[in-house]
Amino acid sequence: MQSMRFIFPVVFSILAIVGCEQLPNSESPQSNFQQVYESISEQELKQHVKTISSDEFEGRGPTTDGETKTLEYLVDNFKSLGFEPGNGNSYLQAVELMEITADPNMQLHMGKNTFEYQKNMVASSKRETPQVNLNDSEIVFVGYGVNAPEYNWNDYQGLDVKGKTVVILVNDPGFENPESGKFQGKTMTYYGRWTYKYEEASRQGAEAAIIVHETAPASYGWSVVSNSWSGPQYSLVSKNGNADRVAVEGWISLEAANKVFAEAGLDFSQQKAKAMQGPYSKALGTKASITVNSKLKKSVSNNVIATLSGSVAADEHIIYTAHWDHLGKDSSLKGDQIYNGAHDNATGVAASLTMAKAFSELSIRPARSITFLIVTAEEQGLLGSKYYSEHPIIPLDKTVANLNMDALNVLGRTKNVSVVGMGKSELEKYLASAVAKQGRFLTQEDRPEAGSYYRSDHFSFAKQGVPALYAKGGNQPIDEATAKYRKRANVVVKGCYHQVCDQFRENWDFGGIQEDTQMLFDVGYSIANSNDWPQWSKTSEFQR
């Protein structure tokens, strides 16, 4: 990974560190910034969320009629606001996807145990082939499945797993042993993400990679795995048909894992404890088999990109991101079949459109260009943003910063702002300035162990070296009334993540989204009117 630190001019000095307080802002007599800032309304945000999370949009599944309606809605809004097409003469960037739908009529055999699809296992294949067979593949427990030289950790050290099935723990070694000094304690690194674990197993030559689900280290329940991994799954079309990926990628429940280890004469919890102490592997002496039949369909989805040209340095861009997609429809469900995705992520789309309107109403355009990139297939592994970052329309060395919006705060106004991945870049100075104007303060996200920095679209920019910020309303309600509302509403928000009940609710408090939209508007405006090129912090993995 090439860090943008070696591309961008190094312009920060002691003066620049405090420079965010001296940038053109609402104090400028020539600017109507403050008036526009205050015009960002709860009602406008609410209406956008209500519209695009309605049943009419069919859960906004990529390549469906729901996508067509969503793209029309986005493009019409950007056009009406005077934003120009961001991709030549088009507002769209085509993203070629491979849709792979696994036949649910499958069973996973591990030793003498047989596990049923969605009940206690899910499995699929990223290989672009209608059938993969795993036949009597030796099972090896590889601890956390991590190969991290900088942490002096390699669970694959001395192992030959070619053709074998590796069983892997979720998260990384620091999570349940935060005082050990391993990795970053409870704060998840990328090594804890399931995406990394499949990637590393593939590099090691394994034939199958099975992750053991546990709710706390995964940060979500089994139902999320079951829903997210069933039905059509997408990947970017590859030149080699993903032949270098493991043949089978899957999850098993904790209950299933206990049975597999018990048959091998082992106690799962004891084996896990050993894996927490240092690099660890253990052959189970049993074998795995499964046949995954898949329907393959190449399809094209689209990112939406729209730009308001800067008044001075139009070739330099601040890029705001949000994902428009959700999980679509599931005709096999009884009753409600639509995953409306109101919180995730109609809220981020609503903030984008509302913010775009605010930028369009400024009496003086920002010096740098403002671009909104509303991406597809985030729910399938950040595919839309991954494609864009690998095929950028705006050169990466002209991309000053990325500001991301995903699942914004419907729990009311807060005293604090949660910075996901706090301490990673100098963008936080601009954020701190914007937050101070609101009488709020910055805190780390309340569950850094969930690895949220690696789970939304800004990560695709970060991997390419572009400083990326992800921040939203925190966990401290502004007053007692909000605290009571928050307690009630949070039950619904958490319980409906990736469920059909993630629907718009009239009683949602949009004050928090309003405040956060104003905040991010201020951050982007300030960076766009500066000469600065914010850098990664020296301790950030992306700086390296």
Side-chain angles (χ1 to χ4, degrees):
M1 173 177 68
Q2 182 180 28
S3 170
M4 299 305 288
R5 191 173 188 86
F6 303 108
I7 299 175
F8 296 162
V10 179
V11 297
F12 273 79
S13 63
I14 297 298
L15 177 62
I17 288 174
V18 297
C20 57
E21 298 176 0
Q22 303 170 353
L23 298 170
N25 56 26
S26 56
E27 300 301 319
S28 171
Q30 298 176 313
S31 171
N32 66 338
F33 172 88
Q34 192 63 33
Q35 177 186 348
V36 172
Y37 178 96
E38 293 173 358
S39 74
I40 292 173
S41 71
E42 292 183 50
Q43 189 55 44
E44 185 175 355
L45 290 159
K46 188 174 185 177
Q47 188 55 53
H48 281 308
V49 173
K50 185 176 184 178
T51 299
I52 64 175
S53 65
S54 67
D55 285 356
E56 179 186 353
F57 285 71
E58 301 180 359
R60 305 188 306 280
T63 75
T64 67
D65 290 341
E67 167 168 355
T68 302
K69 294 172 183 176
T70 303
L71 297 182
E72 289 174 354
Y73 186 82
L74 292 171
V75 170
D76 287 349
N77 271 274
F78 283 124
K79 276 184 180 179
S80 70
L81 297 172
F83 274 66
E84 302 162 355
N87 187 16
N89 295 321
S90 177
Y91 288 93
L92 305 181
Q93 181 191 37
V95 179
E96 192 174 15
L97 300 175
M98 176 60 73
E99 177 184 325
I100 303 178
T101 306
D103 186 343
N105 185 27
M106 69 172 86
Q107 293 180 324
L108 173 62
H109 304 281
M110 301 183 79
K112 296 179 181 179
N113 296 285
T114 298
F115 302 120
E116 302 294 330
Y117 186 70
Q118 287 192 286
K119 292 181 181 178
N120 42 30
M121 75 87 177
V122 290
S124 62
S125 179
K126 287 291 192 297
R127 292 187 181 177
E128 296 172 12
T129 180
Q131 186 180 86
V132 294
N133 290 290
L134 186 72
N135 294 315
D136 291 331
S137 170
E138 293 181 31
I139 302 174
V140 181
F141 175 53
V142 292
Y144 287 93
V146 168
N147 179 14
E150 68 272 35
Y151 289 110
N152 194 29
W153 194 288
N154 185 1
D155 288 310
Y156 290 98
Q157 184 68 43
L159 278 183
D160 179 2
V161 296
K162 290 181 174 60
K164 298 178 182 178
T165 295
V166 292
V167 175
I168 312 170
L169 297 172
V170 72
N171 213 306
D172 63 40
F175 172 71
E176 290 180 89
N177 195 9
E179 305 304 320
S180 66
K182 294 180 174 65
F183 289 66
Q184 294 181 22
K186 291 187 74 69
T187 299
M188 184 190 287
T189 66
Y190 186 54
Y191 295 113
R193 292 285 292 139
W194 57 265
T195 47
Y196 165 79
K197 294 175 188 295
Y198 294 134
E199 291 165 1
E200 187 60 40
S202 298
R203 284 189 285 269
Q204 296 291 336
E207 192 67 7
I210 307 295
I211 298 172
V212 178
H213 173 266
E214 293 184 85
T215 297
S219 81
Y220 40 76
W222 177 256
S223 64
V224 173
V225 175
S226 178
N227 290 335
S228 299
W229 280 69
S230 57
Q233 303 291 305
Y234 296 87
S235 59
L236 298 178
V237 172
S238 68
K239 292 181 179 179
N240 68 352
N242 281 325
D244 54 350
R245 296 279 295 203
V246 292
V248 177
E249 302 177 8
W251 294 73
I252 56 174
S253 66
L254 177 58
E255 179 185 6
N258 282 324
K259 291 180 179 179
V260 171
F261 279 71
E263 185 188 349
L266 301 169
D267 181 276
F268 172 75
S269 61
Q270 291 178 0
Q271 292 296 302
K272 177 180 174 180
K274 291 180 180 180
M276 289 167 58
Q277 299 307 311
Y280 184 75
S281 63
K282 179 72 173 179
L284 299 192
T286 55
K287 297 181 178 181
S289 298
I290 189 173
T291 295
V292 179
N293 294 304
S294 302
K295 292 182 179 179
L296 307 179
K297 178 184 176 184
K298 280 188 179 181
S299 57
V300 177
S301 187
N302 292 273
N303 293 329
V304 177
I305 183 167
T307 295
L308 187 71
S309 293
S311 58
V312 178
D315 62 332
E316 298 176 5
H317 292 250
I318 314 302
I319 297 183
Y320 286 91
T321 48
H323 70 92
W324 61 255
D325 66 301
H326 198 52
L327 303 180
K329 295 173 65 176
D330 184 351
S331 58
S332 69
L333 296 177
K334 294 181 180 179
D336 190 358
Q337 299 180 338
I338 299 176
Y339 292 89
N340 300 86
H343 183 229
D344 183 14
N345 183 36
T347 55
V349 175
S352 298
L353 294 175
T354 302
M355 209 181 302
K357 181 183 177 185
F359 277 111
S360 74
E361 291 177 344
L362 290 170
S363 56
I364 302 175
R365 283 193 177 188
R368 287 165 161 162
S369 294
I370 302 295
T371 293
F372 285 89
L373 176 66
I374 317 298
V375 298
T376 184
E378 188 269 357
E379 302 291 3
Q380 303 294 338
L382 316 182
L383 297 183
S385 58
K386 182 176 188 290
Y387 183 85
Y388 177 87
S389 70
E390 294 173 355
H391 305 83
I393 296 169
I394 298 160
L396 294 179
D397 62 353
K398 293 295 185 180
T399 303
V400 182
N402 168 237
L403 308 175
N404 189 48
M405 295 164 286
D406 192 359
L408 298 185
N409 174 29
V410 295
L411 302 177
R413 286 186 163 84
T414 61
K415 296 176 183 178
N416 64 322
V417 170
S418 174
V419 184
V420 182
M422 192 173 189
K424 289 193 182 294
S425 82
E426 292 170 337
L427 291 174
E428 290 170 28
K429 291 197 294 290
Y430 294 88
L431 180 65
S433 178
V435 165
K437 294 176 189 176
Q438 299 178 330
R440 298 198 286 175
F441 55 90
L442 301 182
T443 59
Q444 185 181 35
E445 75 237 61
D446 58 353
R447 295 189 64 246
E449 63 270 22
S452 296
Y453 195 84
Y454 313 101
R455 294 172 58 184
S456 195
D457 294 299
H458 59 283
F459 180 51
S460 296
F461 284 86
K463 284 197 293 185
Q464 299 295 333
V466 177
L469 180 70
Y470 183 27
K472 51 188 173 181
N475 59 359
Q476 301 180 34
I478 193 68
D479 53 33
E480 187 59 33
T482 304
K484 290 179 179 178
Y485 158 77
R486 182 186 184 92
K487 189 174 182 179
R488 297 191 307 271
N490 207 20
V491 173
V492 174
V493 170
K494 287 187 175 180
C496 290
Y497 174 63
H498 282 196
Q499 309 292 320
V500 294
C501 60
D502 181 7
Q503 300 173 328
F504 172 79
R505 286 168 168 78
E506 287 286 352
N507 66 346
W508 271 351
D509 183 345
F510 274 72
I513 298 181
Q514 177 193 33
E515 208 166 32
D516 292 349
T517 303
Q518 291 171 325
M519 170 188 77
L520 291 171
F521 171 61
D522 191 351
V523 171
Y525 178 81
S526 296
I527 300 171
N529 283 312
S530 79
N531 293 319
D532 297 337
W533 288 83
Q535 302 294 316
W536 292 107
S537 65
K538 292 181 180 179
T539 57
S540 168
E541 62 265 51
F542 304 111
Q543 184 272 340
R544 290 198 297 275

